[in-house]
Amino acid sequence: MTWPDLRDDPPRTVMIPLGSVEQHGPHLPLSTDLRVAEHVASGLESRRPELVLAPGLPYGAAGEHEGFPGTVSIGQEALRLVLVEAGRSACRWAARLVFVNGHGGNVGALVEAVRLLRYEGRDVAWLPCAAPGVRGDAHAGRIETSLLLDLDPAAVQVDRAEAGATAPLRELLPVMREGGVEAVSPNGVLGDPAGASAEEGAALFAAIVDAGVRAIDGWAPDAETGRLAWS
């Protein structure tokens, strides 16, 4: 698109995918979170052509993964500032802005940024790359592996996939808060990618996009978090 395209046909909602550059076990790429967020946003755009997909933000808050080579984290404060300034700028010409978030570690900064932007009178919200009823392992396990096998199979090194820490996340969190993911999982995986498939990934992706379409159509940001509610 060019700027006259946006002047002559102002978009109702602009989407900015958010990811992270971080380890995803020995079998998934460092850019997994952004890849998923960009595919989800593209899927939303295909269902609602009035949406406009902006380039994604690859770097996020990933301090918990810094024990592994390849992780590049900008931290919570820097991420919050980037999101606030991006929101202020985009809302000079866009009616609405939604961040499509693919990394759980971004949520703290995302909530703070969206809360401030909404307080300033801007119609901003965010959406996770998730869907009601979809539960799975926390990181680089069956869920993310299945999604990548569907969305970008060439990026998955299936022969290197292996289980990591499989205890419930609530049990791992106290140790992770002190020593990061490395302290509980030497290979960086929280879960087990065994059984992952492109077919399962396609079903998961469809559920995520369906939930996102309903959330954007309903446009009901939570008063505290700014997250769009699934209708």
Side-chain angles (χ1 to χ4, degrees):
M1 301 182 76
T2 64
W3 74 263
D5 298 326
L6 296 169
R7 176 199 61 192
D8 298 337
D9 185 19
R12 182 173 66 89
T13 303
V14 171
M15 299 179 291
I16 299 180
L18 304 181
S20 179
V21 177
E22 63 182 45
Q23 70 83 19
H24 270 79
H27 65 297
L28 295 180
L30 300 169
S31 57
T32 290
D33 291 341
L34 181 64
R35 292 176 190 234
V36 171
E38 287 181 330
H39 277 286
V40 169
S42 180
L44 294 171
E45 185 183 41
S46 70
R47 294 275 297 275
R48 294 293 185 269
E50 68 273 16
L51 301 176
V52 171
L53 175 55
L57 179 65
Y59 297 101
E64 68 274 20
H65 297 285
E66 286 183 322
F68 297 87
T71 298
V72 181
S73 172
I74 63 173
Q76 294 285 341
E77 183 56 30
L79 178 61
R80 186 195 69 82
L81 182 60
V82 168
L83 298 178
V84 167
E85 293 301 332
R88 287 171 175 166
S89 182
C91 288
R92 290 178 64 88
W93 52 271
R96 285 176 171 170
L97 172 66
V98 58
F99 295 107
V100 180
N101 183 47
H103 172 55
N106 292 341
V107 170
L110 187 53
V111 167
E112 291 182 9
V114 170
R115 184 182 293 135
L116 175 59
L117 289 164
R118 294 190 62 79
Y119 174 78
E120 294 175 343
R122 297 171 174 88
D123 201 359
V124 180
W126 69 278
L127 189 65
C129 293
V134 175
R135 297 289 183 269
D137 33 28
H139 188 73
R142 180 166 176 162
I143 293 291
E144 286 188 305
T145 302
S146 291
L147 282 171
L148 263 289
L149 284 171
D150 172 50
L151 301 174
D152 199 352
V156 182
Q157 300 187 52
V158 177
D159 58 324
R160 298 176 67 178
E162 59 187 27
T166 56
L169 188 58
R170 65 179 179 277
E171 297 178 14
L172 301 174
L173 278 175
V175 179
M176 285 174 54
R177 289 191 181 101
E178 294 294 324
V181 174
E182 184 184 31
V184 299
S185 176
N187 68 0
V189 178
L190 302 177
D192 187 353
S197 69
E199 293 74 20
E200 184 172 302
L204 289 168
F205 180 73
I208 292 169
V209 172
D210 284 346
V213 167
R214 295 195 304 272
I216 289 176
D217 285 351
W219 198 264
D222 182 85
E224 291 297 319
T225 68
R227 174 176 161 169
L228 289 177
W230 289 317
S231 57

